[in-house]
Amino acid sequence: MGYNRSKGGTGMRFLHCGDLHIGAGRGDGREEDFATAFLEVAALAVDRQVDFVLIAGDLFDRRESNPQALGQASRGLGLLRRAGIPAYAIEGNHDKALYVDRESWMDYLDREGLLHLLRRPEGERLYLSYEEGGNVAYCGKTRIVGLPYAGTRTRELVERLTEEIPSYDGFTIVMLHCPVGSQMAMDNAYLPSQVVEALGEKAEYIALGHIHTAYRHLDIAYNPGAPESVRLEEGIGGEKGVYLGEVGPEGLRVELIPIRRRAAVRGEALLTPYMDVPGAETAIKRALAETVQEAGALVCLRVRGEVSFDPAQLDLLDVRAYGRELGIKMLDLQIRLQNRDSLGSVAMDMEELEREVLSTLWREKGFEEERLVEMTLQLKERILEDRNAYAEIAQDVERFAMERREQA
């Protein structure tokens, strides 16, 4: 919590959230987690009587959001609209429309008046200098400028924005969906400190999204993180929630407010050379039972030690089934075992190993598309859980094929 510089009067209050990922968790039955988190964010905005809400990208988890996810987003946005609280949003990388669709569900929500989507106008102009439109909106004396996710073009567009944005007597907020400073992401949508600092000369608050844990940079750029844990490791350590900003006599006061999320814990199972395969599996299950403090938790269990058998003999499907009996909602097994009878060791994060193998297989077929890896993993999870989702996977593949044809 702290005070920052401010101008444009006092008495303005806003809520900044991002990376809500509504529709995530289908493979684990966690869809309601993300819907509930968004409803809590909306209820908090109403309770604190904010003037507006900022959604800094990734309202949805998938570009092809299903009707359930659209309804969940609409309920939260409807709560804000009934309270007279406008929501200003930008598209994150998960929100952007497929090439073949042209428009996203964010465009639909904008047309329905449930949010105000800030878009970059066609052509080279980034914004309208003084009039509302494109990627600029005004709420009272606050000017809100938003740039949707731009991938590797992020730095170029932000530097242009910094040069071209006109002066303004009120309070200016810039919304971006990218990491800054020491934070990093795999997609190179990244801003170095000097670019953020230059933008900070034109804006009083930079509202960020994209990274799922909270951080602030230079006391000008703020990233609240994903309110609910999209991936298990996000829930273990680190802060997450929403930022509440309030302009008072002393300037801008910024406070990170946590949102209730599903519990996540980490445990460890230590195996020894004296254990046979059944004994090792029993030790892993015992460690699971000792780690779980409440039903419905997300659990990361590290299995380490030295064994006298091939670690591939462990029946991890049976271990996972036991985890479900304990009420574990999501289980990440990290196997790091050394075989006493071999020169090497087995060190693998199961999820990372799966992704690496699938990436190699698709690359051998001439593809390097991360989406194909995601589709394959989703299909595997749904088959393991006996989910009847083949039609949905087929639709995903069809859309992907159409998009590839359009781009060819």
Side-chain angles (χ1 to χ4, degrees):
M1 185 187 302
Y3 281 92
N4 199 348
R5 60 198 177 93
S6 174
K7 63 181 180 181
T10 62
M12 183 267 287
R13 188 184 297 124
F14 63 89
L15 198 71
H16 165 204
C17 64
D19 296 282
L20 295 148
H21 284 274
I22 296 172
R26 293 189 209 177
D28 304 293
R30 294 184 57 222
E31 300 98 322
E32 285 300 322
D33 288 359
F34 300 92
T36 299
F38 184 39
L39 284 175
E40 290 203 17
V41 170
L44 178 64
V46 174
D47 181 64
R48 296 300 180 97
Q49 298 181 325
V50 302
D51 295 287
F52 56 88
V53 169
L54 304 171
I55 303 175
D58 284 356
L59 173 63
F60 292 106
D61 184 65
R62 299 181 64 188
R63 299 179 179 190
E64 316 93 326
S65 290
N66 59 18
Q68 180 183 6
L70 181 62
Q72 291 167 339
S74 298
R75 282 195 292 276
L77 293 169
L79 179 61
L80 295 175
R81 183 168 65 176
R82 288 191 297 275
I85 300 173
Y88 299 92
I90 57 173
E91 287 181 336
N93 51 306
H94 286 254
D95 298 314
K96 296 176 74 66
L98 289 172
Y99 182 80
V100 294
D101 290 338
R102 305 293 180 182
E103 288 194 340
S104 71
W105 284 114
M106 300 290 282
D107 291 299
Y108 167 80
L109 294 171
D110 180 62
R111 285 198 302 273
E112 291 296 306
L114 287 167
L115 56 76
H116 189 131
L117 182 62
L118 301 177
R119 310 173 180 83
R120 186 166 66 89
E122 295 296 328
E124 290 304 308
R125 288 195 59 149
L126 287 176
Y127 53 86
L128 302 178
S129 297
Y130 294 100
E131 299 175 3
E132 181 162 325
N135 62 326
V136 171
Y138 293 86
C139 185
K141 293 184 178 181
T142 301
R143 175 177 62 176
I144 305 168
V145 183
L147 287 179
Y149 175 80
T152 56
R153 292 197 65 203
T154 299
R155 177 171 181 171
E156 170 200 344
L157 292 176
V158 170
E159 288 178 337
R160 281 181 51 203
L161 177 66
T162 302
E163 291 177 2
E164 299 174 14
I165 190 170
S167 60
Y168 180 62
D169 290 336
F171 192 88
T172 295
I173 294 173
V174 175
M175 268 201 294
L176 305 170
H177 192 77
C178 66
V180 303
S182 61
Q183 303 294 323
M184 293 296 290
M186 299 299 292
D187 53 8
N188 295 319
Y190 161 77
L191 292 181
S193 293
Q194 63 268 27
V195 176
V196 181
E197 193 169 3
L199 180 59
E201 295 299 317
K202 299 291 187 75
E204 282 66 58
Y205 186 93
I206 301 174
L208 300 172
H210 200 36
I211 300 298
H212 291 182
T213 52
Y215 68 93
R216 61 174 64 190
H217 185 71
L218 300 175
D219 275 337
I220 181 66
Y222 297 83
N223 185 99
E228 178 56 73
S229 300
V230 182
R231 291 178 289 275
L232 189 151
E233 63 270 16
E234 298 169 16
I236 303 174
E239 295 181 300
K240 298 159 69 70
V242 298
Y243 277 116
L244 178 68
E246 183 172 6
V247 179
E250 299 180 62
L252 173 63
R253 186 185 189 188
V254 181
E255 177 186 2
L256 181 67
I257 301 177
I259 299 297
R260 283 187 306 167
R261 65 180 188 268
R262 190 176 288 276
V265 293
R266 179 183 285 116
E268 184 173 82
L270 179 61
L271 306 188
T272 70
Y274 306 103
M275 294 178 177
D276 57 11
V277 173
E281 292 172 353
T282 299
I284 296 173
K285 291 178 180 179
R286 184 184 306 113
L288 272 182
E290 292 172 352
T291 300
V292 176
Q293 302 296 318
E294 59 181 89
L298 314 179
V299 176
C300 175
L301 187 73
R302 184 184 183 194
V303 182
R304 66 181 184 88
E306 184 181 11
V307 294
S308 55
F309 55 83
D310 181 355
Q313 293 179 265
L314 292 170
D315 188 349
L316 298 183
L317 288 178
D318 183 59
V319 172
R320 290 184 179 279
Y322 180 70
R324 288 193 290 272
E325 291 177 14
L326 294 174
I328 295 175
K329 196 67 174 177
M330 181 190 296
L331 175 60
D332 178 21
L333 288 172
Q334 297 183 351
I335 312 296
R336 290 174 171 83
L337 294 172
Q338 184 175 20
N339 190 325
R340 187 179 61 175
D341 299 326
S342 68
L343 297 177
S345 63
V346 177
M348 55 183 176
D349 180 306
M350 298 302 290
E351 183 177 350
E352 290 179 5
L353 181 62
E354 280 185 313
R355 288 182 180 278
E356 183 179 344
V357 170
L358 290 172
S359 295
T360 301
L361 290 173
W362 280 117
R363 198 175 301 115
E364 289 174 351
K365 297 291 184 181
F367 297 94
E368 294 186 15
E369 300 285 349
E370 179 65 22
R371 284 176 55 202
L372 285 173
V373 176
E374 292 293 338
M375 290 177 194
T376 308
L377 289 171
Q378 288 172 17
L379 180 58
K380 184 213 72 171
E381 290 295 330
R382 290 169 190 175
I383 290 174
L384 286 176
E385 297 189 11
D386 197 26
R387 290 177 178 266
N388 186 20
Y390 304 107
E392 185 177 336
I393 289 291
Q395 185 182 49
D396 287 346
V397 175
E398 183 179 2
R399 282 179 177 272
F400 175 78
M402 291 174 62
E403 187 175 343
R404 295 277 298 188
R405 287 196 295 270
E406 289 281 345
Q407 294 173 344

